[in-house]
């Protein structure tokens, strides 16, 4: 039995939905279908989720949003019309959407979560209706009715363990279950969404709950590639990779999966198959616990910008008890999270996402790090990109770091920072953002093109 999830681009139009239907019914094991909200139909199009966010924000401000409301409903109506669905489907979607827009606004975060979640929820209702029209037994199931309970953290909900036992009962249902992604319910009955791209998380949660043999994730790419195709032309496709490798690559900028999405599948040991809705005959990429396919120490290279580094130096720092704790307390007081913290005997570098800090926060933090810690020097560098070289096989290969550093040197890319975790699954290089693409290409040429 399989759980299959479709992304927004796979559900953006009636034509795409017809492809989705064929994919589902071609394999009788595909019993559970998790869906996103309708995505972009073309490059300049707007995702339904983005329309919903703008619409909800205007309602909170007490501003008119009739144009956005009409745009949201028009997206569903155009699909329903092309699929020949009756007026009943759109009447239900319109009624439910209007009710949400007029719901309680005293808690803005909860209100926005309700509005955002309607994108997936209404799409699931329409897709179930379409499947039934095609003669296939299918049922929309609301996460609340299925017992998908989450923490009360709007926009960052975490699944509660009891949900898995509740979801297992879905196996008793006949026909195909169409399940909306992206959200669950708190124990108080409030909608709470996962972080953005959270429909992938829902798919993995459902797969875990029903003990699926495989979790299939259909998107608009043929496979996961060894590097971003917008940086390297026609890069190698990855046939197999491990959960840990996928997690590292997702964190470092791969857009196929949200970096938390695989955790529920990983915990249950369920393989994940990534495939293309437009070309389902292709094998795609399989994510598993251990991979047999080894073509070298590196499986992929990812990068992401928008970081800054805070460099702290103090003579005999290594002898000062509690120095690291004091640094972290200063960050905590400013509500800052850090990504990496490589250190030496007398120096420490903190890597943060710079969108967390405004000018006032930056000034305060730097002042405290300098004065309260009696640091010799505190310097902040903006515009840092992190480039990650990932591969479980690196732990069994000597000289991978040397090869990577040499490749960057020969490409005249200056390394601002280097960090390798004890697991040896990844090596991270900090470079200036304007050298990010050059660094990625140099590393790809070293580990893939050379072969």
């Amino acid at each position: 039995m399989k759980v299959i999830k479709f992304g927004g681009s796979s559900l953006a139009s009636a034509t795409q939905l017809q492809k989705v239907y064929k994919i589902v019914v071609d394999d009788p094991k595909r019993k559970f279908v998790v869906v996103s909200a309708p995505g972009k139909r073309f490059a300049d199009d707007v995702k339904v989720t983005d329309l919903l966010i703008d619409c909800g924000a205007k309602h909170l401000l007490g501003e008119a949003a009739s144009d956005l409301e009409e745009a949201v409903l028009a997206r569903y109506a155009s699909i329903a019309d092309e699929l020949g669905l009756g007026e009943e489907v759109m009447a239900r979607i319109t009624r439910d959407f209007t009710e949400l827009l007029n719901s309680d606004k005293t808690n803005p975060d909860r209100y926005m979560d309700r509005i955002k979640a309607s994108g997936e929820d209404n799409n699931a209702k329409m897709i179930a209706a379409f499947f039934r029209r095609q003669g296939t037994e299918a049922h929309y199931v609301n996460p609340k009715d299925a017992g998908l309970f989450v923490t009360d953290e709007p926009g960052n909900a975490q699944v509660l363990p009891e949900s898995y036992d509740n979801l297992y009962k879905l196996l008793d249902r006949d026909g195909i279950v169409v399940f909306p992604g992206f959200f669950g319910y708190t124990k108080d009955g409030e909608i709470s969404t996962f972080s953005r791209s959270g429909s992938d998380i829902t798919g993995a949660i459902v797969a875990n709950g029903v003990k699926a043999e495989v979790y299939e994730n259909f998107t608009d790419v043929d496979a996961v590639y060894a590097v971003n195709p917008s940086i390297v032309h026609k890069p190698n496709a990855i046939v197999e990779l491990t959960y840990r490798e996928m997690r590292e690559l997702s964190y470092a900028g791969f857009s196929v999966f949200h970096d938390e999405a695989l955790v529920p599948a990983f915990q249950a040991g369920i393989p994940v198959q990534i495939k293309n809705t437009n070309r389902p005959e292709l094998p795609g990429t399989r994510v598993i616990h251990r991979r047999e396919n080894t073509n070298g120490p590196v499986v992929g290279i990812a990068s992401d910008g928008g970081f800054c580094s805070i460099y702290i130096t103090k003579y005999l720092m290594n002898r000062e008890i509690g120095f690291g704790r004091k640094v972290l307390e200063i960050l905590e007081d400013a509500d800052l999270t850090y990504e990496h913290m490589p250190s030496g005997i007398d120096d420490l570098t903190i890597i943060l996402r710079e969108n967390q800090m405004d000018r006032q926060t930056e000034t305060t933090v730097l002042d405290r790090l300098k004065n309260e810690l009696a640091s010799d020097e505190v310097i902040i560098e903006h515009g840092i990109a992190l480039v990650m070289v990932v591969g479980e096989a690196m732990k069994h290969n000597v000289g991978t770091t040397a090869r990577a550093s040499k490749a960057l040197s020969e490409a005249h890319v200056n390394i601002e920072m280097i960090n390798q975790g004890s697991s040896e699954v990844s090596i991270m290089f900090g470079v200036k953002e304007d050298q990010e693409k050059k660094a990625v290409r140099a590393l790809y040429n070293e580990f893939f093109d050379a072969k």
Side-chain angles (χ1 to χ4, degrees):
M1 186 271 303
K2 300 177 180 179
V3 170
I4 183 169
K5 182 263 175 184
F6 291 96
S9 61
S10 300
L11 307 168
S13 66
T15 300
Q16 291 298 96
L17 278 182
Q18 288 164 348
K19 295 177 185 177
V20 164
Y21 175 73
K22 186 176 187 310
I23 289 169
V24 172
V25 298
D26 274 355
D27 187 343
K29 291 184 176 181
R30 290 169 174 152
K31 178 178 171 63
F32 299 95
V33 181
V34 177
V35 301
S36 299
K40 290 186 177 184
R41 296 160 292 184
F42 43 85
D44 296 329
D45 199 11
V46 181
K47 296 179 181 180
V48 165
T49 300
D50 291 330
L51 292 172
L52 290 168
I53 291 171
D54 291 343
C55 185
K58 283 201 169 187
H59 272 266
L60 284 173
L61 293 171
E63 299 177 2
S66 57
D67 56 336
L68 289 167
E69 294 169 28
E70 291 170 5
V72 170
L73 293 174
R75 288 294 300 276
Y76 293 109
S78 65
I79 297 172
D81 289 344
E82 285 190 60
L83 296 176
L85 300 179
E87 294 181 1
E88 182 181 344
V89 173
M90 275 311 300
R92 181 182 181 184
I93 289 174
T94 302
R95 181 181 66 250
D96 291 350
F97 184 48
T98 302
E99 184 178 314
L100 283 175
L101 290 173
N102 296 319
S103 64
D104 178 37
K105 300 180 180 63
T106 54
N107 187 322
D109 289 335
R110 281 187 170 178
Y111 178 78
M112 285 301 296
D113 264 18
R114 291 195 293 272
I115 300 301
K116 288 187 292 183
S118 71
E120 279 74 10
D121 198 43
N122 286 326
N123 211 23
K125 296 168 190 172
M126 186 169 63
I127 290 167
F130 169 54
F131 280 24
R132 289 194 297 271
R133 180 175 173 77
Q134 297 298 104
T136 298
E137 184 179 3
H139 305 278
Y140 155 79
V141 176
N142 184 275
K144 185 177 184 180
D145 297 332
L148 176 48
F149 294 117
V150 298
T151 57
D152 188 4
E153 298 174 85
N156 193 37
Q158 305 295 313
V159 64
L160 295 179
E162 66 197 76
S163 298
Y164 296 117
D165 290 336
N166 297 336
L167 290 168
Y168 187 72
K169 298 172 186 175
L170 290 175
L171 289 167
D172 297 332
R173 292 179 177 258
D174 295 327
I176 291 171
V177 170
V178 182
F179 201 96
F182 191 34
F183 71 98
Y185 280 80
T186 69
K187 298 308 291 280
D188 293 332
E190 293 285 349
I191 287 175
S192 192
T193 65
F194 300 116
S195 49
R196 194 71 186 266
S197 301
S199 291
D200 291 328
I201 299 175
T202 301
I205 290 170
V206 174
N208 182 317
V210 302
K211 304 188 187 311
E213 63 185 74
V214 65
Y215 167 35
E216 296 181 312
N217 192 294
F218 276 75
T219 179
D220 56 1
V221 295
D222 291 341
V224 177
Y225 293 100
V227 72
N228 188 337
S230 69
I231 297 177
V232 174
H233 183 58
K234 292 186 177 179
N236 290 10
I238 302 173
V239 177
E240 280 184 344
L241 73 164
T242 66
Y243 288 106
R244 293 172 71 187
E245 289 169 338
M246 189 73 214
R247 173 85 163 93
E248 295 277 354
L249 290 169
S250 297
Y251 161 76
F254 268 39
S255 59
V256 175
F257 267 116
H258 184 283
D259 64 345
E260 297 175 11
L262 295 185
V263 173
F266 168 77
Q267 291 171 336
I270 299 169
V272 179
Q273 191 74 37
I274 302 165
K275 302 192 74 171
N276 190 344
T277 302
N278 300 309
R279 301 209 287 176
E281 70 279 3
L282 297 179
T285 298
R286 194 167 181 84
V287 187
I288 52 180
H289 271 285
R290 293 183 180 179
R291 62 183 172 95
E292 302 300 327
N293 191 333
T294 54
N295 296 318
V298 176
V299 71
I301 301 162
S303 64
D304 197 13
F307 295 91
C308 64
S309 65
I310 300 176
Y311 174 76
I312 308 168
T313 180
K314 182 178 182 180
Y315 183 59
L316 298 180
M317 178 192 294
N318 64 311
R319 296 189 184 181
E320 185 172 333
I321 296 174
F323 189 88
R325 174 183 55 78
K326 294 171 187 175
V327 169
L328 294 179
E329 283 181 347
I330 291 172
L331 296 182
E332 182 181 1
D333 290 344
D335 292 322
L336 298 176
T337 60
Y338 73 95
E339 305 292 323
H340 302 275
M341 193 181 290
S343 63
I345 298 173
D346 296 322
D347 53 58
L348 180 71
T349 300
I350 309 162
I351 303 294
L352 311 93
R353 290 194 179 272
E354 55 187 351
N355 61 6
Q356 299 180 90
M357 287 195 295
D358 54 26
R359 190 176 297 275
Q360 180 59 48
T361 302
E362 178 180 320
T363 301
T364 301
V365 168
L366 294 182
D367 181 69
R368 290 189 64 189
L369 291 172
K370 173 73 174 175
N371 297 318
E372 293 181 22
L373 302 178
S375 302
D376 297 329
E377 191 174 34
V378 178
I379 300 172
I380 186 166
E381 289 279 350
H382 291 283
I384 299 293
L386 300 185
V387 181
M388 193 88 78
V389 177
V390 177
E392 296 233 31
M394 288 195 297
K395 68 183 72 172
H396 306 300
N397 283 264
V398 177
T400 304
T401 304
R403 286 177 63 187
S405 300
K406 183 172 180 289
L408 293 175
S409 174
E410 291 177 348
H412 304 291
V413 174
N414 185 50
I415 300 172
E416 303 287 329
M417 180 202 61
I418 183 170
N419 190 29
Q420 182 173 22
S422 57
S423 66
E424 298 184 60
V425 175
S426 65
I427 307 169
M428 185 199 69
F429 296 95
V431 303
K432 288 293 188 183
E433 282 184 336
D434 60 3
Q435 293 192 306
E436 176 186 350
K437 291 183 179 180
K438 185 192 289 187
V440 170
R441 292 189 189 105
L443 293 168
Y444 182 84
N445 290 338
E446 173 63 31
F447 291 105
F448 294 94
D449 259 11
K451 294 188 292 186

